[in-house]
Amino acid sequence: MAPIIHIQDLRKQYDPPRGVLAVQDVDLDIEEGEIFSFLGPNGAGKTTTISMISGLLTPTSGDAVIGGYSITQSPMAVKELIGVVPQEIALYPTLTGRQNLRFFGQLYGLGGAELDRRVDEVLEFIDLTEHANVKVEKYSGGMKRRVNIGVGLLHNPKIVYMDEPTVGVDPQSRRRILDTVKQLNQERGMTVLYTTHYMEEAQELSDRVGIIDHGEMIAVGTVGQLISQIGEEDRLVLRVDAINDAFLDGLRKIEGVTDVSGADGEVCVLAKRGRKAMPAAIHVAGETGVLIESVRIEEPDLEAVFLYLTGRALRE
Ligand SMILES: Nc1ncnc2c1ncn2[C@@H]1O[C@H](COP(=O)(O)OP(=O)(O)OP(=O)(O)O)[C@@H](O)[C@H]1O
Ligand SMILES: [Mg+2]
């Protein structure tokens, strides 16, 4: 089957010829039913890409075909197919949650009983039925976010784009939003394109992740594939009362250990299977007269992948 999102050589330069090259020749296929995340720091080009593949922003070059429709040739057809949850909250503060949904529903061409039904369904889905008749200006950040998401779901799209939907919300709302994404995907088979600069979210939600930096898609794959690029070693961090050479040498001899370094009462052991190396490390400590005060295992994550690929931390 053809991918539901097919992006080809997509490029955007704002204010040419000297302006920012915000998206640089991105190629990407997303399959129907996937949750795909764009993971990248501020200014990476996530929103610019989303805007182009929504038919809202004209690319400098390249194209994308969404559900069979080209964004450059049939932007209106693309808009009907997708739901967009923009990064900036776009709601009328003096209207209630329900009135906002009704207003945007009408913009999508809904009316009559169908509009009533969809608005009720969406309110239920975003768990705001109880607060439906309260003005949005009285809502918390998380509630506003949820209405913003609701707007994107009103016309029951096959594909939804969510642009950093958890920024600035409390942990409870964040949890609820992540669960909503999973539910849309699992229960309704919706294809979800999700952008974030939180690696934990990308890691939890996604079937595949595209790491984007300075407008370039620098790596694409499942979380497991991306992590295996950097050699799946765990980092075992031992806090000890004192460090001696016999201890470090002993650690180096443990099976699966590839590197050992120690400073300031902390010893760092890189090992193929950190958990497996732990009992041996404790044994070595006993033999060499070292007291272990605490042990921590850090498994490699997308943050480590980003660091490896760019030399920078995801969040500076
Ligand atoms: N309308 C615009 N005019 C000129 N430059 C822009 C415009 N919008 C974005 N840019 C620039 O393009 C680059 C990519 O921005 P974009 O908003 O797509 O990044 P992002 O990954 O969504 O970032 P964030 O995580 O902060 O939302 C940045 O350098 C930004 O300053
Ligand atoms: Mg953005």
Tab-separated table of all heavy atoms in Angstrom, residues 12-15 19-23 40-51 57 87-88 163-164 167 195-197 212 214-215, ligand 1:
chain	number	residue	atom	x	y	z
A	12	LYS	N	11.849	24.576	2.602
A	12	LYS	CA	11.290	25.903	2.813
A	12	LYS	C	12.374	26.883	3.206
A	12	LYS	O	13.102	26.685	4.175
A	12	LYS	CB	10.236	25.877	3.932
A	12	LYS	CG	9.587	27.240	4.173
A	12	LYS	CD	8.736	27.679	2.985
A	12	LYS	CE	8.218	29.096	3.103
A	12	LYS	NZ	7.321	29.439	1.973
A	13	GLN	N	12.487	27.909	2.414
A	13	GLN	CA	13.336	29.024	2.804
A	13	GLN	C	12.421	30.225	2.998
A	13	GLN	O	11.680	30.609	2.089
A	13	GLN	CB	14.370	29.322	1.707
A	13	GLN	CG	15.267	30.481	2.098
A	13	GLN	CD	16.428	30.688	1.149
A	13	GLN	OE1	16.324	30.405	-0.060
A	13	GLN	NE2	17.529	31.189	1.668
A	14	TYR	N	12.444	30.776	4.212
A	14	TYR	CA	11.655	31.984	4.450
A	14	TYR	C	12.420	33.171	3.852
A	14	TYR	O	13.646	33.216	3.890
A	14	TYR	CB	11.474	32.226	5.948
A	14	TYR	CG	10.511	31.259	6.623
A	14	TYR	CD1	10.975	30.251	7.454
A	14	TYR	CD2	9.132	31.380	6.432
A	14	TYR	CE1	10.085	29.378	8.098
A	14	TYR	CE2	8.241	30.512	7.062
A	14	TYR	CZ	8.723	29.516	7.890
A	14	TYR	OH	7.857	28.663	8.515
A	15	ASP	N	11.701	34.121	3.331
A	15	ASP	CA	12.292	35.356	2.797
A	15	ASP	C	13.534	35.113	1.938
A	15	ASP	O	14.634	35.569	2.288
A	15	ASP	CB	12.665	36.311	3.946
A	15	ASP	CG	11.557	36.421	4.979
A	15	ASP	OD1	10.393	36.576	4.570
A	15	ASP	OD2	11.849	36.312	6.187
A	19	GLY	N	16.937	34.462	3.546
A	19	GLY	CA	16.247	34.048	4.779
A	19	GLY	C	16.622	32.654	5.245
A	19	GLY	O	17.388	31.935	4.601
A	20	VAL	N	16.064	32.305	6.391
A	20	VAL	CA	16.372	31.021	7.031
A	20	VAL	C	15.933	29.846	6.156
A	20	VAL	O	14.826	29.836	5.636
A	20	VAL	CB	15.589	30.904	8.370
A	20	VAL	CG1	15.918	29.597	9.096
A	20	VAL	CG2	15.835	32.098	9.244
A	21	LEU	N	16.819	28.866	6.034
A	21	LEU	CA	16.452	27.616	5.377
A	21	LEU	C	15.857	26.725	6.466
A	21	LEU	O	16.569	26.025	7.177
A	21	LEU	CB	17.708	26.998	4.749
A	21	LEU	CG	17.522	25.917	3.700
A	21	LEU	CD1	16.563	26.349	2.601
A	21	LEU	CD2	18.868	25.538	3.114
A	22	ALA	N	14.549	26.801	6.622
A	22	ALA	CA	13.891	26.185	7.784
A	22	ALA	C	13.705	24.685	7.611
A	22	ALA	O	13.715	23.934	8.579
A	22	ALA	CB	12.544	26.856	8.032
A	23	VAL	N	13.505	24.244	6.368
A	23	VAL	CA	13.359	22.811	6.083
A	23	VAL	C	14.193	22.507	4.843
A	23	VAL	O	14.067	23.171	3.824
A	23	VAL	CB	11.872	22.440	5.850
A	23	VAL	CG1	11.725	20.992	5.410
A	23	VAL	CG2	11.052	22.689	7.110
A	40	GLY	N	12.700	17.217	17.881
A	40	GLY	CA	13.750	18.182	17.564
A	40	GLY	C	13.668	19.392	18.450
A	40	GLY	O	12.604	19.696	18.989
A	41	PRO	N	14.784	20.104	18.619
A	41	PRO	CA	14.813	21.266	19.508
A	41	PRO	C	14.076	22.465	18.914
A	41	PRO	O	13.589	22.402	17.781
A	41	PRO	CB	16.307	21.557	19.649
A	41	PRO	CG	16.922	21.037	18.401
A	41	PRO	CD	16.091	19.860	17.981
A	42	ASN	N	14.015	23.550	19.649
A	42	ASN	CA	13.391	24.777	19.161
A	42	ASN	C	14.035	25.209	17.856
A	42	ASN	O	15.252	25.174	17.728
A	42	ASN	CB	13.558	25.924	20.167
A	42	ASN	CG	12.726	25.708	21.425
A	42	ASN	OD1	13.227	25.853	22.527
A	42	ASN	ND2	11.488	25.351	21.265
A	43	GLY	N	13.199	25.597	16.912
A	43	GLY	CA	13.708	26.118	15.650
A	43	GLY	C	14.183	25.056	14.680
A	43	GLY	O	14.771	25.359	13.641
A	44	ALA	N	13.907	23.779	14.982
A	44	ALA	CA	14.400	22.689	14.130
A	44	ALA	C	13.688	22.642	12.777
A	44	ALA	O	14.237	22.125	11.799
A	44	ALA	CB	14.222	21.350	14.847
A	45	GLY	N	12.469	23.175	12.733
A	45	GLY	CA	11.708	23.134	11.476
A	45	GLY	C	10.467	22.255	11.550
A	45	GLY	O	9.847	21.948	10.530
A	46	LYS	N	10.073	21.874	12.748
A	46	LYS	CA	8.909	20.995	12.920
A	46	LYS	C	7.625	21.687	12.447
A	46	LYS	O	6.884	21.133	11.629
A	46	LYS	CB	8.756	20.591	14.399
A	46	LYS	CG	9.979	19.881	14.975
A	46	LYS	CD	9.785	19.478	16.430
A	46	LYS	CE	9.634	20.621	17.426
A	46	LYS	NZ	10.834	21.470	17.588
A	47	THR	N	7.376	22.891	12.967
A	47	THR	CA	6.131	23.585	12.621
A	47	THR	C	6.107	23.950	11.137
A	47	THR	O	5.072	23.848	10.482
A	47	THR	CB	5.970	24.848	13.499
A	47	THR	OG1	5.924	24.433	14.870
A	47	THR	CG2	4.703	25.608	13.164
A	48	THR	N	7.248	24.349	10.614
A	48	THR	CA	7.304	24.697	9.187
A	48	THR	C	6.927	23.483	8.338
A	48	THR	O	6.148	23.606	7.378
A	48	THR	CB	8.722	25.198	8.824
A	48	THR	OG1	9.041	26.304	9.678
A	48	THR	CG2	8.798	25.632	7.376
A	49	THR	N	7.441	22.321	8.702
A	49	THR	CA	7.103	21.102	7.955
A	49	THR	C	5.611	20.804	8.069
A	49	THR	O	4.935	20.556	7.056
A	49	THR	CB	7.925	19.900	8.483
A	49	THR	OG1	9.309	20.245	8.442
A	49	THR	CG2	7.681	18.646	7.661
A	50	ILE	N	5.087	20.858	9.301
A	50	ILE	CA	3.656	20.602	9.525
A	50	ILE	C	2.803	21.574	8.697
A	50	ILE	O	1.829	21.173	8.071
A	50	ILE	CB	3.308	20.772	11.030
A	50	ILE	CG1	3.994	19.699	11.866
A	50	ILE	CG2	1.814	20.817	11.253
A	50	ILE	CD1	3.196	18.465	12.132
A	51	SER	N	3.192	22.847	8.702
A	51	SER	CA	2.400	23.843	7.964
A	51	SER	C	2.384	23.530	6.469
A	51	SER	O	1.354	23.661	5.812
A	51	SER	CB	2.961	25.248	8.171
A	51	SER	OG	2.948	25.562	9.533
A	57	LEU	N	1.155	26.395	4.041
A	57	LEU	CA	2.356	27.164	3.722
A	57	LEU	C	2.952	26.571	2.449
A	57	LEU	O	3.117	25.356	2.349
A	57	LEU	CB	3.336	27.030	4.895
A	57	LEU	CG	4.673	27.757	4.809
A	57	LEU	CD1	4.472	29.266	4.923
A	57	LEU	CD2	5.604	27.286	5.933
A	87	GLN	N	0.413	24.522	17.235
A	87	GLN	CA	1.249	24.759	18.417
A	87	GLN	C	0.694	25.920	19.256
A	87	GLN	O	0.637	25.833	20.472
A	87	GLN	CB	2.669	25.073	17.934
A	87	GLN	CG	3.656	25.353	19.042
A	87	GLN	CD	5.095	25.365	18.525
A	87	GLN	OE1	5.354	25.285	17.325
A	87	GLN	NE2	6.024	25.468	19.435
A	88	GLU	N	0.296	26.988	18.578
A	88	GLU	CA	-0.268	28.131	19.304
A	88	GLU	C	-1.750	27.872	19.504
A	88	GLU	O	-2.456	27.538	18.565
A	88	GLU	CB	-0.092	29.423	18.486
A	88	GLU	CG	1.333	29.729	18.090
A	88	GLU	CD	2.274	29.919	19.274
A	88	GLU	OE1	1.792	30.293	20.362
A	88	GLU	OE2	3.482	29.655	19.117
A	163	ASP	N	1.004	19.539	16.987
A	163	ASP	CA	2.273	20.259	17.083
A	163	ASP	C	2.542	20.661	18.538
A	163	ASP	O	1.958	21.613	19.038
A	163	ASP	CB	2.223	21.480	16.158
A	163	ASP	CG	3.610	22.036	15.869
A	163	ASP	OD1	4.606	21.487	16.382
A	163	ASP	OD2	3.691	23.039	15.112
A	164	GLU	N	3.398	19.918	19.195
A	164	GLU	CA	3.765	20.155	20.606
A	164	GLU	C	2.549	20.397	21.499
A	164	GLU	O	2.466	21.420	22.172
A	164	GLU	CB	4.748	21.334	20.711
A	164	GLU	CG	5.956	21.140	19.796
A	164	GLU	CD	7.207	21.803	20.317
A	164	GLU	OE1	7.424	21.780	21.531
A	164	GLU	OE2	7.966	22.326	19.488
A	167	VAL	N	3.049	21.286	25.573
A	167	VAL	CA	3.873	22.365	26.119
A	167	VAL	C	3.023	23.242	27.043
A	167	VAL	O	1.914	23.633	26.694
A	167	VAL	CB	4.488	23.201	24.971
A	167	VAL	CG1	5.097	24.486	25.503
A	167	VAL	CG2	5.536	22.387	24.245
A	195	THR	N	4.582	16.272	17.051
A	195	THR	CA	5.901	16.887	17.192
A	195	THR	C	6.156	17.208	18.659
A	195	THR	O	5.243	17.543	19.408
A	195	THR	CB	6.065	18.189	16.379
A	195	THR	OG1	5.575	19.270	17.163
A	195	THR	CG2	5.357	18.139	15.047
A	196	THR	N	7.402	17.083	19.036
A	196	THR	CA	7.751	17.343	20.433
A	196	THR	C	9.248	17.604	20.564
A	196	THR	O	10.021	17.243	19.677
A	196	THR	CB	7.357	16.141	21.323
A	196	THR	OG1	7.653	16.437	22.693
A	196	THR	CG2	8.084	14.864	20.932
A	197	HIS	N	9.621	18.281	21.648
A	197	HIS	CA	11.046	18.288	21.965
A	197	HIS	C	11.299	17.517	23.259
A	197	HIS	O	12.377	17.568	23.822
A	197	HIS	CB	11.629	19.713	21.983
A	197	HIS	CG	10.975	20.642	22.947
A	197	HIS	ND1	10.009	21.541	22.562
A	197	HIS	CD2	11.129	20.796	24.268
A	197	HIS	CE1	9.598	22.213	23.616
A	197	HIS	NE2	10.260	21.779	24.679
A	212	ILE	N	14.833	15.627	13.923
A	212	ILE	CA	14.983	16.770	13.018
A	212	ILE	C	15.818	17.841	13.715
A	212	ILE	O	15.647	18.109	14.895
A	212	ILE	CB	13.577	17.238	12.550
A	212	ILE	CG1	13.592	18.447	11.648
A	212	ILE	CG2	12.642	17.494	13.681
A	212	ILE	CD1	12.268	18.633	10.907
A	214	HIS	N	18.023	21.625	12.653
A	214	HIS	CA	18.370	22.619	11.629
A	214	HIS	C	17.725	22.300	10.291
A	214	HIS	O	18.368	22.387	9.238
A	214	HIS	CB	19.890	22.705	11.456
A	214	HIS	CG	20.605	23.216	12.674
A	214	HIS	ND1	20.228	24.359	13.335
A	214	HIS	CD2	21.648	22.720	13.371
A	214	HIS	CE1	21.013	24.560	14.378
A	214	HIS	NE2	21.884	23.569	14.425
A	215	GLY	N	16.460	21.918	10.320
A	215	GLY	CA	15.718	21.697	9.079
A	215	GLY	C	16.001	20.395	8.375
A	215	GLY	O	15.431	20.123	7.327
B	1	LIG	N1	7.358	33.121	9.401
B	1	LIG	C1	8.686	32.980	9.511
B	1	LIG	N2	9.534	33.854	8.917
B	1	LIG	C2	10.868	33.708	8.988
B	1	LIG	N3	11.491	32.721	9.675
B	1	LIG	C3	10.718	31.819	10.294
B	1	LIG	C4	9.275	31.899	10.255
B	1	LIG	N4	8.771	30.852	10.958
B	1	LIG	C5	9.825	30.159	11.420
B	1	LIG	N5	10.994	30.727	11.018
B	1	LIG	C6	12.353	30.214	11.305
B	1	LIG	O1	12.456	28.910	10.710
B	1	LIG	C7	13.149	28.009	11.546
B	1	LIG	C8	12.282	26.820	11.869
B	1	LIG	O2	11.200	27.245	12.665
B	1	LIG	P1	10.003	26.296	13.117
B	1	LIG	O3	9.008	27.156	13.785
B	1	LIG	O4	9.557	25.486	11.963
B	1	LIG	O5	10.730	25.354	14.178
B	1	LIG	P2	10.122	24.369	15.274
B	1	LIG	O6	10.900	23.112	15.171
B	1	LIG	O7	8.666	24.295	15.128
B	1	LIG	O8	10.507	25.090	16.638
B	1	LIG	P3	9.727	25.161	18.057
B	1	LIG	O9	10.060	23.891	18.789
B	1	LIG	O10	10.340	26.356	18.723
B	1	LIG	O11	8.269	25.327	17.775
B	1	LIG	C9	13.582	28.832	12.765
B	1	LIG	O12	14.897	29.275	12.531
B	1	LIG	C10	12.597	29.986	12.773
B	1	LIG	O13	13.164	31.108	13.372
